[in-house]
Each structure stands twice: as C-alpha cells, then as structure tokens.
Amino acid sequence: MANADCRPVLPGSTVGVLGSGQLGRMFALSARRMGYRVHTLSPDEDTPTGQIADLEINAPYEDLNAVCRFASAVSVVTFEFENVPAETAAAAARCGPVRPSGSVLHTTQHRLREKTFLQQSGLPHTPFRRVASLEDLARAASELGLPAILKTADFGYDGKGQYRIRSNQDFAPAWSAAGEREAVLEAFVDFDCEISVVAARALTGQFVHYGAIENQHVNGILDISIAPARVPPAIARDAVEITRCVLETLDVAGVLCVEFFVAKNGRLLINELAPRPHNSGHFTVDANFTSQFEQQLRSVCLLPLGAVAQHTPAVMANLLGDLWNSREPAWQRALEIPNVKLHLYGKSEPRPGRKMGHLTALAPSVEQALENARRARQALTA
Ligand code: AMP
C-alpha cells in the first residue's frame, strides 16, 4: 500500500490538498514559503486555497478518476476538510500516500463513529446515545435527561446540523429538522469554559502541542480564541495528555485538534476531534515559532516537527461575513492598533456566518490581547 512509503517528501516536491478553504490557503502559504509546490482539488473555483496553490483542480469529490490523477501528480496528499467521502480518501490512497490516513478521516468525520472510538478508548466524552428513529430519540432523552442536543451523525461543523431539545414537544420537530437520519443525542453540558488542544504527531511518534487554548463561541461558531487558556495548570496538563492519547490511539501522522468542555465540576469532556489544523490554532501563525500549518506540512512530509514555543500571549478574533453589512470594513482603523495582524481568506462573497478572515492581537498579557482584539474588530464597523 502506498501509505507504507516512509521516505521524506523534501522541499521542491509537490503536495496535494483535498479541500480548498482557508485552512488549505494557510497550509499552502507555509508550503510555498518552504519551497514546495501545491495542488488543490475541490468542487469550487477561485478558492481560498486555489488562489495560493500552483494548480487548482475543479472536480467533484465523487469523481474518483480526477482524484486518482490528482494524487498521482503529487508526492503526498493531505486534507483541509474532513468531510470528503471515504471513497475519495480511499481512491487517493490507491494512487499515492495520504496523511493522515483515510481511517483517521473515517473515524472523525462521523459523530457516532468518533464518540464510539472515544468510548472504546476510555477517553472522557459527553454522554450520548445513538438515535435512528423518533422512538430512539424519546428513549435517549429519558436516559440522558433534558436539555440535550440532537446532532446529525455526518457533515456537521460550526454548530450546523444541531437541534436543542428542551422538552418532549421538541422531539418531532428536531427529528424532522435533522432530516430523519442517523444522529446522536448528546447531554447538554453545563460548562465553565471550552478549550482545545492543537497537536501534531510524526510517523516516528514525535509529538508536539500548543497547550490549552480557550475558546468562546457565538451561535455555535468560534468567535474568540485565547492562548494560553485561562484555566488551572492541572486542567491544561490533563487536556494535553488526553490529546496525546487521542493522536497515539488513532496513529495520526499530521495535525489534530481536540475540543473540550471544562464542566462546572472541573472534569474535561471531549466534544469533538478535527484531524487537521483548527480555527482555534490560527494564532500560531503570528505567535509561535512554528505554526500549526507548517507543522501539518512537516508531519505529512515526514520531516522533523518544529519548535512550538509561543513568543507572546495572543488572541484571535474571527471575522464573519456579517461584519460587511453592505460596506467594506474599515481595515485601516483596526490596523492602527499596535500588534494586531490581519488575515483575509480571499473570499469575494461576505455571507452572514461565513468565515472571511481573522485578526490576531499580540500583547504582554492575554487580558491586553483580548482587549486589543475586541477593540480592533469593533473598529472595523465603527
Ligand atoms: P460542535 O459543532 O459540536 O462543536 O458545537 C458547536 C458549539 O455548540 C460548541 O462549541 C458548544 O459551544 C455548543 N455545544 C455543542 N454541544 C454541546 C453540548 N453537548 N453541551 C453544551 N454546549 C454544546
């Protein structure tokens, strides 16, 4: 099998990215800086990744011939979007190395498989039940208690495919809104805060991480990430150890992010896994010696992982399409604030809820960075 190929992919080679959003764009920027060529494949045109890549291939993920041609023309394939069909990853793997492997993708792209993996591995996770019918939903709700959240098993991210259930009255509308297909019911966690750990692992077993990151969501979408997280050191240490265990158990070669709830009783519960760089790790581009994207490149190319040291506290604020509100944000006002960096993803259509870019504020303390990030974002629409 092509994945058994353990030779490093050296600068000058071509790497392939399945998916073409902002994560692929920032990966491509890192890769090009280190002298690699980049190809990307997705169903879309003029994409955030395609604007940076040497070659943008426009094909549906289901076009397995196109996927095989794409994989044959590069030295290694990685992905920036885990919701590609399993057959796509399998077709790529038949034609060249894919990292992380299709099996990591298969586990993490489906909530039920992911939660079953966590349960079988003895890793702490939110209580859940499988739901395949309206009757299952009623039974699961009586076992877990209400409130709870119904989440579709596949193709969910940024709070999409999620329905809050507060009383028995919500069962039928939620089941219908979820498309009457396989789902999980999750107990609602009364959390103190949410944190994540972004980590990278090499095929040799080398493991690096960026510590605990504190995340604030609005309407199910990440709004602000604070690094380092303002949690007790023991919680940050436990989160890192759980993350190490996840990457080792899944045998990941690449970057993976673990999202946690810190419950009111101090327990850590895994909410989700993302087998790629993560929105909460964007600050690493400006604040760390090696960014999460360079780490992805190094790990999938079988190069030594880079030092992760963070130069300075950092806060990342997402810029959603809502900020445009019929006129261009006032970029120069945000940039007047010292140590604020602007990242835009090259998307031409600023739809509400769409991630268009982010700001990173760097400061001697996280409180100062938080204030500067908020001030900079407000200045865009002042
Ligand atoms: P997800 O797409 O599953 O990461 O959910 C997006 C956000 O919704 C999370 O980051 C939480 O803020 C919230 N959320 C999701 N599941 C739960 C839960 N079981 N209990 C409480 N809040 C949740």
Side-chain angles (χ1 to χ4, degrees):
M1 164 122 168
N3 268 342
D5 189 342
C6 290
R7 279 167 303 177
V9 175
L10 296 173
S13 312
T14 305
V15 291
V17 188
L18 278 172
S20 61
Q22 60 269 18
L23 300 177
R25 179 185 183 91
M26 290 181 267
F27 171 82
L29 286 165
S30 275
R32 292 197 68 149
R33 189 162 49 81
M34 280 178 59
Y36 288 86
R37 291 179 180 277
V38 179
H39 293 182
T40 180
L41 181 144
S42 84
D44 304 316
E45 280 171 17
D46 186 27
T47 60
T49 311
Q51 291 164 11
I52 306 296
D54 297 82
L55 181 66
E56 178 176 47
I57 298 165
N58 176 228
Y61 294 123
E62 293 74 17
D63 182 347
L64 302 186
N65 288 329
V67 170
C68 186
R69 277 197 304 278
F70 162 74
S72 306
V74 301
S75 297
V76 61
V77 171
T78 188
F79 41 85
E80 65 102 53
F81 172 69
E82 67 269 34
N83 288 327
V84 297
E87 302 75 51
T88 307
R94 281 195 296 278
C95 304
V98 177
R99 297 188 195 102
S101 68
S103 71
V104 174
L105 196 80
H106 186 250
T107 304
T108 55
Q109 70 183 186
H110 187 272
R111 283 189 202 277
L112 190 61
R113 281 199 292 269
E114 182 173 289
K115 286 180 184 299
T116 307
F117 158 75
L118 295 173
Q119 193 172 43
Q120 288 173 348
S121 309
L123 291 160
H125 55 277
T126 47
F128 73 97
R129 293 288 183 279
R130 175 175 183 263
V131 170
S133 68
L134 194 52
E135 294 71 45
D136 283 353
L137 177 54
R139 194 175 325 114
S142 74
E143 287 171 12
L144 294 175
L146 294 178
I149 305 186
L150 184 68
K151 301 184 177 182
T152 52
D154 51 11
F155 298 109
Y157 62 95
D158 286 347
K160 292 191 175 74
Q162 299 195 9
Y163 309 90
R164 186 80 72 92
I165 301 200
R166 294 181 178 81
S167 75
N168 300 6
Q169 310 285 318
D170 296 331
F171 292 165
W175 179 240
S176 158
E180 305 191 357
R181 60 203 164 97
E182 191 179 43
V184 293
L185 187 72
E186 240 183 65
F188 188 81
V189 180
D190 187 18
F191 56 76
D192 247 348
C193 68
E194 294 183 76
I195 62 173
S196 57
V197 176
V198 174
R201 184 170 176 272
L203 268 191
T204 56
Q206 187 190 2
F207 172 85
V208 296
H209 64 86
Y210 295 96
I213 306 159
E214 181 181 338
N215 299 318
Q216 299 174 355
H217 292 78
V218 173
N219 297 327
I221 303 178
L222 184 65
D223 183 49
I224 296 255
S225 290
I226 301 168
R230 298 167 297 176
V231 293
I235 290 191
R237 260 196 320 271
D238 283 356
V240 167
E241 283 318 305
I242 292 169
T243 301
R244 184 198 301 272
C245 187
V246 169
L247 274 86
E248 281 175 3
T249 312
L250 283 172
D251 197 18
V252 170
V255 169
L256 185 140
C257 173
V258 183
E259 291 182 66
F260 297 90
F261 297 125
V262 183
K264 283 262 188 314
N265 61 10
R267 268 199 83 202
L268 281 168
L269 296 171
I270 296 178
N271 171 31
E272 259 194 335
L273 310 179
R276 50 166 171 75
H278 189 259
N279 195 166
S280 64
H282 288 359
F283 71 93
T284 60
V285 171
D286 299 308
N288 292 69
F289 197 76
T290 310
S291 76
Q292 61 169 352
F293 301 102
E294 183 176 331
Q295 224 65 277
Q296 180 185 21
L297 177 75
R298 287 175 179 237
S299 52
V300 304
C301 289
L302 309 185
L303 296 174
L305 301 180
V308 285
Q310 188 173 339
H311 310 303
T312 167
V315 168
M316 188 273 334
N318 266 338
L319 304 177
L320 301 186
D322 313 58
L323 277 175
W324 270 246
N325 200 11
S326 81
R327 66 186 163 105
E328 191 68 13
W331 304 120
Q332 66 284 17
R333 290 215 197 99
L335 295 174
E336 275 165 10
I337 299 170
N339 300 329
V340 167
K341 307 284 278 184
L342 173 65
H343 299 252
L344 290 173
Y345 308 147
K347 299 180 184 177
S348 53
E349 233 188 286
R351 292 192 295 272
R354 189 175 197 206
K355 290 177 181 168
M356 302 295 289
H358 68 270
L359 295 170
T360 310
L362 306 172
S365 69
V366 284
E367 271 68 29
Q368 187 64 55
L370 186 55
E371 189 188 321
N372 288 355
R374 290 205 172 115
R375 200 150 57 88
R377 191 166 58 179
Q378 277 160 8
L380 295 175
T381 52

